Amino acid sequence: LYFPMTFLLISLAFWFPRVLKVNRLLVLSGFGAVVIYFGTYSYLLNRHLWHDEDTFFRQEVLHYKNDFYLGGLAESLYKSGDLRGAERYFLKAMERFPDMVDNYLNYAALLIEEGRLDDAAAYLDTAKSFPMSACEQGKWLNNAGMVLFKRGDYHKALHHFTRAVSWCPGVEKFWANLGGSYGSTGDYRTSVSVLTKGLSLFPDSVILRKNLGVSYYRMGEYIGAVSVLEEIPYEIREKDPHINDLMQKARVMRKGGS
């Protein structure tokens, strides 16, 4: 997109000294006006359109009626916790662009979160027929694994999570689900190994630390559980009662309590 600008700037550098000789004041005034215009325009775009991803998608879809970003707006709403709004735009996105696989995968994740497992499985089955990139394949496998996991089929879920990490190792959620899945089958040693490896890639991950704390606790390593959970920022711990509860239990067990 920006490659042609190279030739425009070369042309500008070539002609600018020549036109200066014609009328220096007029040329400099015109050039200054152009710089001010584009500078102001860039400021307004960054302030009101490109300020952040959510703002951009809202402006493009709601203000400019640009349907291309329907899926982006839906994903943004989903991340912010507006599941009803996200569902509305996911459905619009799939209707408008029926061959964009990412919309099916993200909508399936929403359905899984809501416990609508049969609907999620149906959308994943539809998405399976589309060409997918490595990370889209990883997302499909992770979502399919979550459907199986929530249905109680932990061993099949584990197989899917393992393949998800293999296809796309750069997603912390995949590592967290894989480690948690090993823990659900009772293989806490492997769970700890997987989650520790995940933390080496994502050292600030809360979900990896939380799952690691659970695995340490369940295998009786209470000191390790407390140590791992204490590294989660205090503000986050205070907002998650499960983390605080687990820490209190691990501290009691570490001191030999019951």
Side-chain angles (χ1 to χ4, degrees):
L1 179 63
Y2 290 100
F3 185 64
M5 292 295 294
T6 304
F7 301 99
L8 291 173
L9 291 172
I10 291 173
S11 300
L12 180 63
F14 178 78
W15 288 106
F16 193 68
R18 287 163 175 74
V19 296
L20 275 178
K21 295 176 181 179
V22 177
N23 191 323
R24 185 179 184 85
L25 179 60
L26 180 62
V27 171
L28 289 177
S29 298
F31 185 73
V34 169
V35 170
I36 292 171
Y37 168 77
F38 280 112
T40 304
Y41 186 53
S42 296
Y43 170 79
L44 291 173
L45 284 175
N46 282 285
R47 182 68 181 87
H48 300 291
L49 181 60
W50 299 336
H51 180 65
D52 55 40
E53 191 175 70
D54 183 64
T55 301
F56 174 77
F57 289 137
R58 287 179 183 274
Q59 289 281 9
E60 286 290 338
V61 174
L62 303 179
H63 184 70
Y64 297 112
K65 309 301 180 184
N66 187 349
D67 288 352
F68 183 77
Y69 293 106
L70 283 167
L73 176 58
E75 187 176 1
S76 180
L77 291 169
Y78 174 48
K79 289 177 180 177
S80 68
D82 184 0
L83 301 187
R84 294 280 67 79
E87 180 168 17
R88 176 187 173 195
Y89 286 105
F90 274 134
L91 292 173
K92 284 186 176 182
M94 288 184 288
E95 181 181 359
R96 180 70 177 81
F97 303 101
D99 58 344
M100 290 184 69
V101 67
D102 215 38
N103 292 325
Y104 292 85
L105 300 178
N106 290 330
Y107 183 47
L110 182 152
L111 293 171
I112 292 168
E113 186 171 328
E114 290 193 324
R116 296 154 64 184
L117 301 181
D118 290 340
D119 291 338
Y123 277 96
L124 289 172
D125 191 52
T126 300
K128 191 176 183 180
S129 63
F130 295 133
M132 286 186 266
S133 66
C135 277
E136 286 170 342
Q137 184 68 46
K139 187 182 287 188
W140 187 93
L141 287 162
N142 179 75
N143 287 350
M146 286 302 301
V147 171
L148 292 165
F149 186 87
K150 287 183 176 291
R151 286 174 172 169
D153 196 341
Y154 300 132
H155 290 282
K156 282 187 178 179
L158 177 60
H159 176 69
H160 280 69
F161 292 142
T162 302
R163 292 180 62 202
V165 169
S166 176
W167 275 97
C168 189
V171 180
E172 64 176 295
K173 181 169 63 176
F174 297 174
W175 287 95
N177 289 341
L178 177 59
S181 186
Y182 271 114
S184 295
T185 64
D187 189 352
Y188 300 119
R189 294 287 177 189
T190 305
S191 174
V192 167
S193 176
V194 168
L195 293 168
T196 301
K197 185 173 181 179
L199 274 174
S200 70
L201 299 173
F202 309 98
D204 298 324
S205 172
V206 173
I207 184 61
L208 285 168
R209 289 193 182 282
K210 184 177 178 180
N211 284 3
L212 182 56
V214 170
S215 290
Y216 272 134
Y217 180 84
R218 289 180 176 171
M219 65 192 295
E221 296 283 350
Y222 304 118
I223 294 176
V226 172
S227 176
V228 166
L229 295 172
E230 282 181 338
E231 292 187 42
I232 298 174
Y234 177 79
E235 309 78 45
I236 296 176
R237 278 187 274 145
E238 285 299 296
K239 294 178 181 178
D240 190 333
H242 296 100
I243 296 177
N244 277 330
D245 183 56
L246 183 61
M247 283 185 66
Q248 292 302 320
K249 289 179 179 178
R251 283 168 177 161
V252 170
M253 298 303 293
R254 183 181 61 180
K255 293 177 181 178
S258 58

